[in-house]
Coordinates of all heavy atoms in Angstrom, one line a residue:
T1 N 115.4 180.4 -67.4 CA 114.4 179.5 -68.1 C 113.9 178.6 -67.0 O 114.6 178.1 -66.1 CB 115.1 178.7 -69.2 OG1 115.7 179.6 -70.1 CG2 114.1 177.8 -69.9
M2 N 112.6 178.3 -67.1 CA 111.9 177.3 -66.2 C 111.2 176.4 -67.2 O 110.7 176.8 -68.2 CB 111.0 177.9 -65.2 CG 111.7 178.8 -64.2 SD 110.7 179.4 -62.8 CE 110.6 177.9 -61.8
G3 N 111.0 175.1 -66.7 CA 110.3 174.2 -67.6 C 109.9 172.9 -66.9 O 110.1 172.7 -65.7
W4 N 109.3 172.1 -67.7 CA 108.8 170.8 -67.3 C 109.4 169.7 -68.2 O 109.3 169.8 -69.4 CB 107.3 170.7 -67.3 CG 106.7 171.7 -66.3 CD1 106.3 172.9 -66.5 CD2 106.4 171.4 -64.9 NE1 105.8 173.5 -65.3 CE2 105.8 172.5 -64.4 CE3 106.6 170.3 -64.1 CZ2 105.5 172.6 -63.0 CZ3 106.2 170.3 -62.8 CH2 105.7 171.5 -62.3
Y5 N 109.8 168.6 -67.6 CA 110.2 167.4 -68.3 C 109.4 166.3 -67.7 O 108.9 166.4 -66.6 CB 111.7 167.2 -68.2 CG 112.5 168.2 -68.9 CD1 112.7 169.5 -68.4 CD2 113.2 167.9 -70.1 CE1 113.4 170.4 -69.1 CE2 113.9 168.8 -70.8 CZ 114.1 170.1 -70.3 OH 114.8 171.0 -70.9
R6 N 109.4 165.1 -68.4 CA 108.7 164.0 -67.8 C 109.4 162.7 -68.2 O 110.1 162.6 -69.2 CB 107.2 163.9 -68.3 CG 107.1 163.7 -69.8 CD 105.6 163.8 -70.3 NE 105.4 163.5 -71.7 CZ 104.3 163.6 -72.3 NH1 103.2 164.1 -71.7 NH2 104.2 163.3 -73.6
Q7 N 109.2 161.7 -67.3 CA 109.8 160.4 -67.5 C 108.8 159.3 -67.2 O 108.4 159.2 -66.0 CB 111.1 160.3 -66.7 CG 111.9 159.0 -67.0 CD 113.2 159.1 -66.3 OE1 113.5 159.8 -65.3 NE2 114.2 158.3 -66.9
A8 N 108.5 158.5 -68.2 CA 107.7 157.3 -67.9 C 108.6 156.1 -67.6 O 109.8 156.1 -68.0 CB 106.8 157.0 -69.2
P9 N 108.0 155.1 -66.9 CA 108.8 153.9 -66.6 C 109.5 153.3 -67.8 O 108.8 153.1 -68.8 CB 107.8 153.0 -66.0 CG 106.8 153.9 -65.4 CD 106.7 155.0 -66.4
G10 N 110.8 153.1 -67.7 CA 111.5 152.4 -68.8 C 111.8 153.3 -70.0 O 112.4 152.9 -71.0
K11 N 111.6 154.6 -69.9 CA 111.8 155.6 -70.9 C 112.8 156.7 -70.5 O 112.9 156.9 -69.3 CB 110.5 156.2 -71.5 CG 109.6 155.2 -72.1 CD 108.4 155.9 -72.8 CE 107.5 154.9 -73.5 NZ 106.4 155.6 -74.2
Q12 N 113.3 157.4 -71.5 CA 114.2 158.5 -71.2 C 113.4 159.7 -70.8 O 112.2 159.9 -71.2 CB 115.0 158.9 -72.4 CG 116.0 157.8 -72.9 CD 117.1 157.6 -71.9 OE1 117.7 158.5 -71.4 NE2 117.4 156.3 -71.6
R13 N 114.0 160.6 -70.0 CA 113.3 161.8 -69.6 C 113.2 162.7 -70.9 O 114.2 162.8 -71.7 CB 114.1 162.5 -68.5 CG 113.4 163.8 -68.0 CD 114.2 164.4 -66.8 NE 114.2 163.4 -65.7 CZ 114.7 163.8 -64.5 NH1 115.2 165.0 -64.3 NH2 114.7 162.8 -63.5
E14 N 112.1 163.3 -71.1 CA 111.9 164.1 -72.3 C 111.3 165.5 -72.0 O 110.6 165.7 -71.0 CB 110.9 163.4 -73.2 CG 109.5 163.2 -72.7 CD 108.6 162.5 -73.7 OE1 109.0 162.2 -74.8 OE2 107.4 162.3 -73.3
L15 N 111.6 166.4 -72.9 CA 111.0 167.7 -72.8 C 109.5 167.7 -72.9 O 108.9 167.1 -73.7 CB 111.6 168.6 -73.9 CG 111.0 170.0 -74.1 CD1 111.4 170.9 -73.0 CD2 111.4 170.5 -75.4
V16 N 108.9 168.5 -72.0 CA 107.5 168.8 -72.1 C 107.4 170.3 -72.7 O 106.8 170.5 -73.8 CB 106.7 168.7 -70.8 CG1 105.2 169.1 -71.0 CG2 106.8 167.2 -70.3
A17 N 107.9 171.2 -71.9 CA 107.8 172.6 -72.3 C 108.8 173.4 -71.4 O 109.0 173.1 -70.3 CB 106.4 173.2 -72.2
T18 N 109.3 174.5 -72.0 CA 110.1 175.5 -71.3 C 109.6 176.9 -71.6 O 109.1 177.1 -72.7 CB 111.6 175.3 -71.6 OG1 111.9 175.6 -72.9 CG2 112.1 173.9 -71.2
I19 N 110.0 177.8 -70.7 CA 109.6 179.2 -70.9 C 110.7 180.1 -70.4 O 111.2 179.8 -69.3 CB 108.2 179.5 -70.3 CG1 107.8 181.0 -70.6 CG2 108.2 179.2 -68.8 CD1 106.4 181.2 -70.2
T20 N 111.1 181.1 -71.1 CA 112.2 182.0 -70.7 C 111.6 183.1 -69.9 O 110.4 183.3 -69.8 CB 112.9 182.6 -71.9 OG1 112.0 183.4 -72.6 CG2 113.4 181.5 -72.8
S21 N 112.5 183.9 -69.3 CA 112.0 185.0 -68.5 C 111.3 186.0 -69.3 O 110.4 186.8 -68.8 CB 113.2 185.7 -67.8 OG 114.2 186.1 -68.7
G22 N 111.6 186.1 -70.6 CA 110.9 187.0 -71.5 C 109.6 186.4 -72.1 O 109.0 187.1 -72.9
G23 N 109.3 185.2 -71.8 CA 108.1 184.6 -72.3 C 108.2 183.7 -73.5 O 107.2 183.2 -74.0
G24 N 109.4 183.5 -74.0 CA 109.6 182.6 -75.1 C 109.3 181.1 -74.7 O 109.8 180.7 -73.7
I25 N 108.6 180.4 -75.5 CA 108.1 179.1 -75.2 C 108.7 178.1 -76.2 O 108.7 178.3 -77.4 CB 106.6 179.0 -75.1 CG1 106.1 179.8 -74.0 CG2 106.1 177.6 -75.0 CD1 104.6 180.0 -73.9
N26 N 109.1 176.9 -75.7 CA 109.5 175.8 -76.4 C 108.8 174.6 -75.9 O 108.9 174.3 -74.7 CB 111.0 175.6 -76.4 CG 111.4 174.4 -77.2 OD1 110.9 174.1 -78.2 ND2 112.5 173.7 -76.7
D27 N 107.9 173.9 -76.7 CA 107.2 172.8 -76.2 C 107.3 171.6 -77.2 O 107.6 171.8 -78.4 CB 105.8 173.1 -75.9 CG 105.0 173.8 -77.0 OD1 105.5 173.8 -78.1 OD2 103.9 174.3 -76.7
A28 N 107.0 170.4 -76.7 CA 107.1 169.2 -77.5 C 105.9 169.1 -78.4 O 104.8 169.5 -78.0 CB 107.2 168.0 -76.5
D29 N 106.1 168.5 -79.5 CA 105.0 168.2 -80.5 C 103.9 167.4 -79.8 O 102.7 167.6 -80.2 CB 105.5 167.5 -81.7 CG 106.4 168.4 -82.6 OD1 106.3 169.7 -82.4 OD2 107.1 167.9 -83.4
S30 N 104.2 166.5 -78.9 CA 103.2 165.6 -78.4 C 102.2 166.3 -77.5 O 101.2 165.8 -77.2 CB 103.9 164.5 -77.6 OG 104.7 165.1 -76.5
V31 N 102.5 167.6 -77.0 CA 101.7 168.3 -76.1 C 101.1 169.6 -76.7 O 100.3 170.2 -76.0 CB 102.3 168.6 -74.8 CG1 102.9 167.3 -74.1 CG2 103.4 169.6 -74.9
K32 N 101.5 169.9 -77.9 CA 101.0 171.1 -78.5 C 99.5 171.1 -78.6 O 98.9 170.2 -79.0 CB 101.6 171.3 -79.9 CG 103.1 171.7 -79.9 CD 103.6 172.0 -81.4 CE 105.1 172.2 -81.4 NZ 105.5 173.4 -80.6
G33 N 98.9 172.3 -78.2 CA 97.5 172.4 -78.3 C 96.8 171.9 -77.1 O 95.5 172.1 -76.9
R34 N 97.5 171.1 -76.2 CA 96.9 170.6 -75.0 C 97.4 171.1 -73.7 O 96.7 171.3 -72.8 CB 97.0 169.0 -75.0 CG 96.4 168.4 -76.2 CD 96.4 166.8 -76.1 NE 97.7 166.3 -76.0 CZ 98.2 165.6 -75.0 NH1 97.4 165.4 -73.9 NH2 99.5 165.2 -75.0
F35 N 98.7 171.3 -73.7 CA 99.4 171.8 -72.5 C 99.8 173.3 -72.7 O 100.2 173.7 -73.8 CB 100.7 171.0 -72.2 CG 100.5 169.6 -71.8 CD1 99.2 169.0 -71.8 CD2 101.5 168.8 -71.3 CE1 99.0 167.7 -71.5 CE2 101.3 167.5 -71.0 CZ 100.1 166.9 -71.0
T36 N 99.8 174.1 -71.7 CA 100.2 175.4 -71.7 C 101.1 175.7 -70.5 O 100.7 175.5 -69.4 CB 99.0 176.4 -71.6 OG1 98.1 176.1 -72.7 CG2 99.4 177.8 -71.7
I37 N 102.3 176.2 -70.8 CA 103.2 176.6 -69.8 C 103.1 178.1 -69.6 O 102.9 178.9 -70.5 CB 104.7 176.2 -70.1 CG1 105.6 176.4 -68.9 CG2 105.2 176.9 -71.4 CD1 107.0 175.7 -69.1
S38 N 103.3 178.5 -68.3 CA 103.3 179.9 -68.0 C 104.2 180.1 -66.7 O 104.5 179.2 -66.1 CB 101.9 180.5 -67.7 OG 101.3 179.8 -66.7
R39 N 104.5 181.4 -66.5 CA 105.3 181.7 -65.3 C 105.0 183.0 -64.7 O 104.5 183.9 -65.4 CB 106.8 181.6 -65.6 CG 107.3 182.7 -66.5 CD 108.8 182.4 -66.9 NE 109.7 182.7 -65.8 CZ 111.0 182.4 -65.8 NH1 111.6 181.9 -67.0 NH2 111.8 182.7 -64.8
D40 N 105.2 183.1 -63.4 CA 105.1 184.4 -62.7 C 106.5 184.7 -62.2 O 107.0 184.1 -61.2 CB 104.1 184.2 -61.5 CG 103.8 185.5 -60.8 OD1 104.7 186.4 -60.8 OD2 102.7 185.6 -60.2
N41 N 107.1 185.6 -62.9 CA 108.5 186.0 -62.5 C 108.6 186.5 -61.1 O 109.6 186.3 -60.5 CB 109.1 187.0 -63.6 CG 109.3 186.4 -64.9 OD1 109.5 185.2 -65.0 ND2 109.2 187.2 -66.0
A42 N 107.7 187.3 -60.7 CA 107.7 187.9 -59.4 C 107.7 186.8 -58.3 O 108.3 187.0 -57.2 CB 106.6 188.9 -59.2
K43 N 107.0 185.7 -58.5 CA 106.9 184.7 -57.6 C 107.9 183.5 -57.8 O 107.9 182.5 -57.1 CB 105.5 184.1 -57.5 CG 104.5 185.2 -57.0 CD 103.2 184.5 -56.6 CE 102.5 183.8 -57.7 NZ 101.1 183.3 -57.3
N44 N 108.7 183.6 -58.9 CA 109.6 182.5 -59.3 C 108.9 181.2 -59.4 O 109.3 180.2 -58.9 CB 110.8 182.5 -58.3 CG 111.7 183.6 -58.5 OD1 112.0 184.0 -59.6 ND2 112.2 184.2 -57.4
T45 N 107.7 181.2 -60.0 CA 106.9 180.1 -60.1 C 106.5 179.8 -61.6 O 106.2 180.7 -62.4 CB 105.6 180.2 -59.3 OG1 105.9 180.4 -58.0 CG2 104.7 179.0 -59.4

């Protein structure tokens, strides 16, 4: 699994989105429809 989290000043770190090696995605309600996570398994990126 690879993903992104974010932390604003004075706030807890929170989930943005994650993606599994098989392409399964979990993202936060606050970014749905605006952010897109993707990965290139061959490049580990």
Side-chain angles (χ1 to χ4, degrees):
T1 304
M2 299 187 75
W4 295 92
Y5 294 74
R6 67 187 182 186
Q7 187 169 24
K11 295 186 176 181
Q12 297 290 316
R13 187 173 298 186
E14 65 177 357
L15 168 74
V16 177
T18 61
I19 183 168
T20 69
S21 60
I25 293 172
N26 180 34
D27 54 11
D29 290 341
S30 60
V31 306
K32 287 185 186 300
R34 300 188 299 120
F35 293 7
T36 302
I37 190 170
S38 61
R39 68 187 287 175
D40 185 333
N41 290 332
K43 298 196 295 185
N44 289 316
T45 300

